[in-house]
Amino acid sequence: MALDQYNEEEEEEGMSFLDHLEQLRWHLLRSIAAVFVFSLMAFLSKSFVFGQVILGPSKVEFVTYRTLCKLSDWLSIEALCIDQLPFIIQSRQMTGQFSMHLSSSLVIGLIAAFPYLFWEIWRFISPGLYDQERNAARGAVFFVSLLFFLGAAFGYFILAPLSINFLSNYQLDPSILNEFDIISYVSTLTMLVLASAIMFQLPVVIYFLSMSGLVTAAMLRSYRRHAIVFILIIAAVITPPDVISQVLIAMPILVLYEAGIMIAKRLEKRKKKEELEY
């Protein structure tokens, strides 16, 4: 085992710049192939993908709305129940439906293939790390993928339905009807889901920054107020202009920030312990 590892490291060190480019090309090709396969599957499942997944949050039968109505009955708060979405979705461009079919299939393929994409990226990066760094980052593919899917699920089941409800019920005057274009609807849904998935990577970012010594738990605690303001600004940018949506996206990010402080603190304790042992 030790000899094999030595040979792999020696081979890695002997690779030229062009060899690295060739290796990167194959990683990218395999990643693109994975996205293409999942995108093709989504494209061929048009009735399910559009009828159930993409257009799901636009229907009152969506699981989030039904859950809120049940919660409304239990708490006797009628305002919680969302039993109507006063808008219709139209396609005002000749290529609108087809282009949205293609783009939405691509987004679903990207989300479904994300663990494999990150695994390919990690396979390309990890040989350049020291053994200590590689061991410290063990399980990175699992945790990054887990946080990505948790963020995407939060965006799809929580943030998107409540944002769509707010935007569909917002009217300047009763005479103005809400008729949304399919491109606008799909773009809004995609932005909310992907933005949530990316924002949920905050603990991973803090972990690697802390591991490299760029941030500390004390630094994160001292800049907590600045972080809260920054998170609220980001939430205001990626969500519709309603306070509920901004708070909904900001709250889990603040929790993840606090989790990042705990991670940084644990890393510092482990480093001190290793230093004392040496």
Side-chain angles (χ1 to χ4, degrees), residues 43 56 67 81-82 99 105 144 153 173 195 206 228 232 245 261 274 276-277:
F43 186 84
T67 302
C81 185
I82 300 173
S99 62
S105 298
V144 169
D173 187 85
I206 291 177
I228 292 173
L232 290 174
S245 297
I261 294 177
E274 290 175 354
L276 291 174
E277 290 178 353

Side-chain angles (χ1 to χ4, degrees), residues 85 161-171 240-243 245:
L85 296 169
L162 296 181
S163 299
I164 290 171
N165 173 65
F166 169 79
L167 294 173
S168 65
N169 283 282
Y170 186 84
Q171 286 184 309
D242 66 300
V243 177
S245 297

Side-chain angles (χ1 to χ4, degrees), residues 22 27 32 78 97 103 109 133 139-140 152 206 248 265 267:
E22 178 66 14
H27 284 296
I32 293 171
E78 295 184 4
Q97 294 195 53
S103 62
E133 295 172 337
I206 291 177
L248 279 174
K265 189 175 181 180
L267 281 174

Side-chain angles (χ1 to χ4, degrees), residues 73-90:
D73 294 335
W74 185 56
L75 297 175
S76 299
I77 304 177
E78 295 184 4
L80 285 177
C81 185
I82 300 173
D83 54 4
Q84 60 177 348
L85 296 169
F87 73 95
I88 61 173
I89 299 176
Q90 295 183 340

Side-chain angles (χ1 to χ4, degrees), residues 116-158:
Y116 182 79
L117 292 179
F118 188 78
W119 181 65
E120 285 288 352
I121 294 172
W122 183 249
R123 285 180 62 197
F124 179 73
I125 295 174
S126 59
L129 301 177
Y130 293 108
D131 290 337
Q132 184 179 359
E133 295 172 337
R134 198 180 297 116
N135 292 331
R138 186 177 298 170
V141 176
F142 172 77
F143 288 109
V144 169
S145 300
L146 177 63
L147 288 172
F148 182 86
F149 285 125
L150 285 175
F154 177 82
Y156 180 74
F157 289 105
I158 304 297

Side-chain angles (χ1 to χ4, degrees), residues 3 5 7 22 39 48 70 84-85 100 110 134 149 160 167 181 183 219 227 234 236 240-241 264 267 269 271-272 275:
L3 181 61
Q5 185 179 359
N7 290 334
E22 178 66 14
S39 297
F48 172 75
K70 290 180 181 179
Q84 60 177 348
L85 296 169
M100 283 300 98
L110 180 65
R134 198 180 297 116
F149 285 125
L167 294 173
D181 189 81
I183 297 176
M219 183 188 303
I234 296 296
L267 281 174
K269 287 183 178 179
K271 286 180 181 178
K272 288 181 180 179
E275 289 174 358

